[in-house]
């Protein structure tokens, strides 16, 4: 072990007794140094991460934050001299279309490269190349690639991207920076649960702010969510969310999620979830509730029921539409429902109708809910939700087809796709909507290329792993593809694992301090929910 690696270990020991800000100020540069000079030592990490060639140098620094909770920083590899900045001009599904684009570039004096993308989603029934990428330029600096991009834009090209080839998903030397929270649920003396940003559905907040508000000892970002108003209610979870036994958001049906039966974290599991809520009027008339706590008509991630356009199957980062929806709003949405044309029925704590409204956007009772309708749902409310009558609301959540008891402490965090099942890599990206039939470039960008990732897994001994991989930062960390993410989780001991929200959302805090480097140029991205670890009042930490 080199002197820098030893110093790194000693510094981490200080992390037990000093604020995390000191840890960031002192350890981060040492981790960078260890990236260049540390040696692989079987005594400390017999199973190095399966990223790049086996000979790459790797450093690991661990700290037992409390009984049952260990934080490990892993730094592997180094920046490759072979990787360059380039400009992606276009992605085409066929070689002929790509060659036509390349010929045009060549006629204009450029020297294009045509690269076949061979990897498809592992569960994709189609075979053959995913598509063909047309690129121009190879530069040592990003600034030169940006200049070429701007020149191409002036020539009339659109959709241009400046990328670093280290993120392509092909062989590279890295580097990678990985943070691991290992939670031994048999020894765990803390509390573990999902937490909603801003305490209500609308709005997002950075993980550091959420961590401070919840006094989190450690936390990672959670599931997918709506960012812009054009896609629904900003802050709405784009998938199932259950917090303290209350269903906050409906499922993107068939999408893999993380289930925490109670705040101890014990018996945590990973499963494909579906949800269905039905209302039954006093006269026996029934109707499906299309969604919970979101803007009617906009279904982020799709995967719903009842005529969603263009599909009822899950379709990631896509917003389906439905002009006739019945949405239930509960107090966790805030004070008022989403405004607009339609009608609303207000229910008291016993689900009796206490008010009928001729438009949407009214107050949500603190001990009750609101059924908000558009399209033909308005007619159903008018005909069957009579003042004083009781409306039975039945919500069912199924995990791999088996009913999940919605008990008081249940927590669920949406994610997808599944990465590992029963100890084997099993990436269900096609099934879970991460491949767009009409645009194969989507899967290339999201699953084949390396991106920042937040991952969760469960080991054979019942430990819970929460993992972040920094990315989109050549020289610091290049990120991971879906396949690399699966290999990382399996190498850390996960027998089941899934992908959570990543990209600019990937964040991890220790003692309410950010310890990774988010990829957004603007810094830490506001998120919608997180998985937080908190101290028990009666349990001292070490």
């Amino acid at each position: 072990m080199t002197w820098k690696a030893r110093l790194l270990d000693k510094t981490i020991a200080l992390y037990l007794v000093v604020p995390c800000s000191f840890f960031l100020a002192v350890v981060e540069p040492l981790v960078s140094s260890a990236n260049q000079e540390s040696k692989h030592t079987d005594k400390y990490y017999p199973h190095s991460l399966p990223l790049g060639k086996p000979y790459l140098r790797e450093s690991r620094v661990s700290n037992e934050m409390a009984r049952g909770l260990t934080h490990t920083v892993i730094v592997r590899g180094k920046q490759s001299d072979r990787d360059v900045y380039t400009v992606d001009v276009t992605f085409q599904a066929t070689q002929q279309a790509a060659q036509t684009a390349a010929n045009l570039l060549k006629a204009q004096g450029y020297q294009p490269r045509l690269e076949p993308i061979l990897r498809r989603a592992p569960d994709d029934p189609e075979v053959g190349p995913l598509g063909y990428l047309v690129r121009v330029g190879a530069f040592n600096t990003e600034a030169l690639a940006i200049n070429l991009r701007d020149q191409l834009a002036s020539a009339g090209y659109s959709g241009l991207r400046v990328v670093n080839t280290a993120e392509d998903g092909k062989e590279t030397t890295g580097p990678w920076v990985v943070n691991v929270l290992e939670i031994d649920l048999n020894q765990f003396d803390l509390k573990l649960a999902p937490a909603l940003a801003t305490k209500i559905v609308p709005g997002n907040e950075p993980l550091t702010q959420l961590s401070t508000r919840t006094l989190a000892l450690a936390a990672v970002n959670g599931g997918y969510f709506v960012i812009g108003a054009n896609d629904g209610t900003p802050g709405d979870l784009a998938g199932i969310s259950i917090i303290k036994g209350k269903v906050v958001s409906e499922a993107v049906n068939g999408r893999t999620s993380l289930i925490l039966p109670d705040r101890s974290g014990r018996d945590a599991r990973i499963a494909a979830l579906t949800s269905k809520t039905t209302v039954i009027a006093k006269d026996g008339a029934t109707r499906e509730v299309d969604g919970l706590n979101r803007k009617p008509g906009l279904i982020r991630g799709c995967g719903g029921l009842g005529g969603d356009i263009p599909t009822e199957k899950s379709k990631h980062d896509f917003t389906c539409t439905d002009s006739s929806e019945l949405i239930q709003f509960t107090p966790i949405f805030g004070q008022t429902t989403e405004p607009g044309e339609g009608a609303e029925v207000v229910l008291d704590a016993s689900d009796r109708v206490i008010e009928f409204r001729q438009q949407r956007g009214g107050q949500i009772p603190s001990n009750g809910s609101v059924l908000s309708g558009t399209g033909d749902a308005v007619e159903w409310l008018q005909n069957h939700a009579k003042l004083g009558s009781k409306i039975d609301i039945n919500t069912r959540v199924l995990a791999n087809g088996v009913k999940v008891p919605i008990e008081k402490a249940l927590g669920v965090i949406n994610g997808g796709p599944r990465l590992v099942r029963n100890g084997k890599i099993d990436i269900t990206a096609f099934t879970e909507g991460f491949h767009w039939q009409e645009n194969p470039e989507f899967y290339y960008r999201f699953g084949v290329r390396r991106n920042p990732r937040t991952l969760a897994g469960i080991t054979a001994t019942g430990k819970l792993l929460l993992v972040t991989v920094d990315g989109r930062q050549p020289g610091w960390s290049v990120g991971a593809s879906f396949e690399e993410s699966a290999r990382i989780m399996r190498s850390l001991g996960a027998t089941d694992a899934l992908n959570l929200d990543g990209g600019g959302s990937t964040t991890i805090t220790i003692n309410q301090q950010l310890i990774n480097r988010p990829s957004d140029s603007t810094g830490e991205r506001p998120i919608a929910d997180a998985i937080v670890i908190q101290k028990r009042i009666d349990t001292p930490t070490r």
Side-chain angles (χ1 to χ4, degrees):
M1 183 182 292
T2 66
W3 70 269
K4 285 188 176 179
R6 290 193 188 96
L7 181 57
L8 186 59
D9 281 344
K10 291 179 181 179
T11 306
I12 291 295
L14 293 175
Y15 164 34
L16 297 172
V17 294
V18 300
C20 195
S21 57
F22 178 83
F23 168 77
L24 284 172
V26 177
V27 173
E28 187 172 284
L30 290 178
V31 170
S32 181
S33 298
N35 179 32
Q36 301 295 328
E37 299 190 20
S38 65
K39 278 190 176 182
H40 177 91
T41 306
D42 288 345
K43 178 180 178 182
Y44 292 98
Y45 32 90
H47 304 292
S48 59
L49 293 180
L51 298 170
K53 295 292 187 181
Y55 62 77
L56 292 178
R57 291 174 175 176
E58 181 176 303
S59 66
R60 297 193 180 196
V61 178
S62 295
N63 166 50
E64 186 181 13
M65 299 176 61
R67 193 170 72 128
L69 176 63
T70 301
H71 171 232
T72 301
V73 182
I74 306 174
V75 181
R76 179 171 176 82
K78 64 179 181 179
Q79 188 171 13
S80 170
D81 294 334
R82 296 183 179 181
D83 287 317
V84 296
Y85 289 96
T86 189
V87 179
D88 287 356
V89 178
T90 186
F91 185 102
Q92 297 293 333
T94 68
Q95 185 174 7
Q96 182 179 0
Q99 189 62 59
T100 298
N103 290 341
L104 179 59
L105 285 162
K106 190 172 182 180
Q108 294 173 326
Y110 298 102
Q111 295 181 326
R113 305 186 306 280
L114 194 153
E115 299 181 11
I117 306 302
L118 302 178
R119 292 183 182 176
R120 306 184 74 93
D123 59 335
D124 188 341
E126 292 190 35
V127 295
L130 181 68
Y132 298 84
L133 191 62
V134 180
R135 288 178 155 172
V136 176
F139 305 101
N140 291 327
T141 68
E142 186 177 19
L144 290 173
I146 290 173
N147 287 338
L148 176 57
R149 180 200 63 191
D150 294 344
Q151 179 183 336
L152 287 163
S154 298
Y157 288 92
S158 60
L160 303 168
R161 299 171 183 264
V162 172
V163 300
N164 189 281
T165 57
E167 300 163 11
D168 281 353
K170 299 177 182 179
E171 184 175 309
T172 188
T173 59
W176 292 271
V177 176
V178 180
N179 281 275
V180 182
L181 291 174
E182 182 182 79
I183 305 161
D184 186 345
L185 301 175
N186 295 317
Q187 300 289 326
F188 195 51
D189 279 340
L190 307 171
K191 297 185 295 184
L192 173 73
L196 194 63
T198 72
K199 296 186 180 181
I200 58 174
V201 171
N204 306 314
E205 67 178 329
L207 182 64
T208 49
Q209 185 173 312
L210 188 155
S211 296
T212 300
R213 178 169 53 77
T214 59
L215 300 178
L217 181 61
V220 299
N221 67 289
Y224 301 111
F225 61 96
V226 174
I227 296 178
N230 289 336
D231 296 310
T233 303
D236 171 44
L237 278 304
I240 192 164
S241 172
I242 301 179
I243 298 178
K244 295 181 181 179
K246 295 182 178 180
V247 183
V248 176
S249 176
E250 77 275 16
V252 172
N253 285 327
R255 184 70 64 80
T256 303
S257 298
L258 175 64
I259 304 171
L260 302 173
D262 59 46
R263 301 199 74 175
S264 73
R266 292 183 181 87
D267 300 319
R269 59 188 176 123
I270 291 167
L273 296 189
T274 60
S275 66
K276 184 175 182 179
T277 299
T278 305
V279 290
I280 307 172
K282 185 179 180 180
D283 60 8
T286 65
R287 196 194 191 284
E288 176 185 283
V289 175
D290 297 89
L292 298 171
N293 297 310
R294 65 166 172 82
K295 187 174 183 177
L298 299 175
I299 308 99
R300 188 63 170 170
C302 307
L305 298 171
D308 296 349
I309 297 173
T311 181
E312 291 183 0
K313 295 181 179 179
S314 59
K315 188 171 184 178
H316 190 64
D317 270 2
F318 188 91
T319 302
C320 285
T321 60
D322 187 345
S323 60
S324 297
E325 286 202 305
L326 186 63
I327 304 296
Q328 183 184 20
F329 289 92
T330 63
I332 203 166
F333 189 80
Q335 294 186 345
T336 59
T337 66
E338 285 277 8
E341 295 182 358
E344 290 183 340
V345 163
V346 184
L347 307 178
D348 65 12
S350 61
D351 294 331
R352 291 191 180 277
V353 179
I354 58 174
E355 184 183 355
F356 190 97
R357 298 171 181 158
Q358 297 295 336
Q359 61 182 9
R360 299 185 291 111
Q363 188 172 3
I364 302 170
S366 59
N367 291 308
S369 66
V370 174
L371 295 176
S372 184
T374 59
D376 61 20
V378 175
E379 184 179 352
W380 191 92
L381 291 173
Q382 290 171 337
N383 293 337
H384 305 291
K386 303 300 182 181
L387 285 174
S389 65
K390 190 174 187 300
I391 303 288
D392 290 327
I393 302 176
N394 179 28
T395 298
R396 287 169 55 87
V397 176
L398 303 180
N400 298 330
V402 179
K403 185 177 180 181
V404 177
I406 304 178
E407 297 177 341
K408 186 176 180 180
L410 176 66
V412 174
I413 302 95
N414 83 75
R418 176 185 280 273
L419 301 173
V420 180
R421 186 195 309 268
N422 297 328
K424 297 181 179 180
I425 291 177
D426 184 9
I427 303 170
T428 54
F430 182 90
T431 302
E432 297 193 36
F434 291 86
H435 173 79
W436 293 8
Q437 292 286 104
E438 78 282 7
N439 181 15
E441 183 180 7
F442 181 84
Y443 181 72
Y444 168 67
R445 297 289 171 192
F446 204 97
V448 175
R449 286 185 60 79
R450 296 184 174 100
N451 289 287
R453 306 286 181 187
T454 302
L455 315 166
I458 300 167
T459 72
T461 57
K463 292 181 180 178
L464 176 64
L465 303 173
L466 300 175
V467 178
T468 64
V469 185
D470 282 357
R472 300 178 189 159
Q473 299 171 83
W476 170 254
S477 186
V478 296
S481 66
F482 277 163
E483 291 187 24
E484 288 173 328
S485 298
R487 294 203 301 267
I488 289 170
M489 295 307 288
R490 196 169 65 162
S491 75
L492 293 172
T495 54
D496 290 276
L498 82 158
N499 188 67
L500 298 174
D501 189 19
S505 298
T506 289
T507 38
I508 178 171
T509 60
I510 300 292
N511 294 327
Q512 297 121 52
Q513 299 294 315
L514 187 68
I515 64 165
N516 75 311
R517 291 188 182 180
S519 64
D520 283 359
S521 59
T522 53
E524 189 182 356
R525 176 186 295 179
I527 57 173
D529 73 338
I531 305 171
V532 300
I533 300 170
Q534 300 164 305
K535 297 177 183 178
R536 292 186 185 276
I537 296 176
D538 57 346
T539 303
T541 58
R542 297 204 295 266

